[in-house]
Amino acid sequence: MSREPPDGDEGELETVDDPQQNRSTDQTPDEERPAGVVVDESAERLEPDAFVKRVVETALTDPVAAGDAVGDLLRIVRDGDDEAQTAAEEALDLLGLLRPVEFEVWVDDVVAFASDDDDYRSFVGLRALAQLSAVRPRVAAKGLEAAVRRLETPHTPTRQAALAVVGEVGQAFPERVARTDRQVMAALRADDPSVRLAGVMTAGKLLGAEPQRFPRTVTALPETFEDDDEVVWEYAHAALLHFVREHPSQVPEKRRVVERLANVSDEELHVREGSTKDAMTTLLAYEPGFDL
């Protein structure tokens, strides 16, 4: 890891602490942390399982402090036994959900995991990058090459995470992921519904950014409107609404899309009331004389 591990036995870890104050720029200073949440510096060294448990407990009340343990959690995922690995992976996921910006300080280590040939370690790294990219897409773009290499891996969780990285980074910097158009199209046509779901979510972000860079994705998205998986079906239509709202002139087969939207409701799609009507009205402006 980029930060040196605690001195002493490799099998033991110190409680979460950061004596060098090496954390993200918007992190809360020690003196501003809630009383009783700061890690007990006098605590004895902990075995990996106990260490991870302490990190999780800290994360639930002070994710900023818990962010100092990211390097050690990655080390446990890499070197720990199966039980400790699983616990550390889940702790990293929790941190990513609560405060993904904490991965910024550790981005080089996270990218190294994402680039690993091992499916499991690559997944852990790519998932962290996907979480980070939602708040720091420029920083997460450091791992873009690792994500692109995994876009068609048979390991489903890793493929999903790679697609998420591409979607989040591509939403901010579409020019950097234009080369992934074919792989996103392939995800929309995948046999596994979880991959199709990741595909339509990514498609929605990319087509809402610069659809002209993703012609294959534009063509393939309508195929998902008849998907037999309810969640994929719902997100496919949500992706379409986002596409229409951001770039109506570039939506192909506008009449077909209007007819499609006429047969669904805001309630079915779990979107803001009036969203489907607004999208239809927008597209009809490009089709004078068209009568439903």
Side-chain angles (χ1 to χ4, degrees):
M1 303 301 126
S2 57
R3 294 188 195 173
E4 290 299 317
D7 295 331
D9 186 352
E10 286 287 310
E12 297 178 336
L13 296 157
E14 291 180 346
T15 51
V16 186
D17 191 17
D18 186 23
Q20 297 179 351
Q21 299 297 301
N22 184 20
R23 51 173 69 95
S24 57
T25 55
D26 59 351
Q27 186 161 337
T28 307
D30 287 348
E31 62 270 20
E32 296 179 9
R33 291 180 183 167
V37 173
V38 189
V39 175
D40 181 2
E41 296 181 2
S42 65
E44 296 181 359
R45 298 169 68 84
L46 302 172
E47 293 295 326
D49 289 346
F51 174 79
V52 174
K53 182 178 179 181
R54 177 68 61 87
V55 173
V56 170
E57 291 171 349
T58 302
L60 293 173
T61 51
D62 187 1
V64 173
D68 298 334
V70 169
D72 285 323
L73 292 173
L74 289 171
R75 183 156 63 89
I76 293 171
V77 171
R78 185 189 65 202
D79 300 328
D81 59 34
D82 289 348
E83 186 173 347
Q85 283 181 339
T86 299
E89 177 216 324
E90 292 173 350
L92 285 165
D93 187 30
L94 177 64
L95 279 171
L97 293 171
L98 294 174
R99 190 175 162 83
V101 71
E102 292 304 317
F103 290 142
E104 182 174 1
V105 173
W106 304 93
V107 67
D108 291 337
D109 300 310
V110 172
V111 170
F113 258 67
S115 304
D116 200 291
D117 290 336
D118 178 80
D119 287 333
Y120 178 67
R121 287 193 287 271
S122 180
F123 161 68
V124 171
L126 286 170
R127 182 179 62 189
L129 281 174
Q131 292 168 324
L132 175 62
S133 63
V135 294
R136 295 286 193 273
R138 187 181 298 277
V139 177
K142 284 188 172 185
L144 190 56
E145 292 303 319
V148 171
R149 287 197 298 272
R150 289 288 191 160
L151 283 175
E152 293 186 282
T153 177
H155 189 253
T156 297
T158 303
R159 189 177 183 183
Q160 291 173 291
L163 284 162
V165 173
V166 167
E168 294 290 357
V169 173
Q171 185 169 233
F173 309 105
E175 72 283 355
R176 301 192 64 173
V177 302
R179 58 197 161 122
T180 67
D181 186 28
R182 181 183 59 80
Q183 292 98 323
V184 176
M185 176 190 69
L188 295 175
R189 296 171 174 173
D191 292 335
D192 190 324
S194 66
V195 174
R196 297 199 302 277
L197 176 59
V200 297
M201 294 174 74
T202 297
K205 293 180 173 67
L206 300 183
L207 300 187
E210 291 186 21
Q212 67 274 19
R213 293 184 183 273
F214 308 96
R216 293 183 178 87
T217 302
V218 169
T219 301
L221 181 62
E223 299 172 12
T224 61
F225 300 159
E226 303 294 344
D227 201 290
D228 57 8
D229 184 275
E230 183 177 350
V231 180
V232 175
W233 180 90
E234 179 182 327
Y235 274 90
H237 285 79
L240 172 65
L241 291 175
H242 186 53
F243 183 14
V244 172
R245 183 172 63 248
E246 298 298 325
H247 300 281
S249 66
Q250 297 186 49
V251 175
E253 302 184 62
K254 294 179 178 60
R255 294 192 179 194
R256 178 186 175 192
V257 171
V258 169
E259 290 171 346
R260 159 59 54 179
L261 293 177
N263 290 302
V264 296
S265 67
D266 298 328
E267 184 178 5
E268 284 180 289
L269 303 181
H270 298 95
V271 295
R272 176 183 55 81
E273 184 177 356
S275 295
T276 54
K277 182 179 179 180
D278 289 347
M280 291 169 59
T281 300
T282 299
L283 290 177
L284 285 170
Y286 292 88
E287 294 288 338
F290 177 59
D291 186 1
L292 282 173

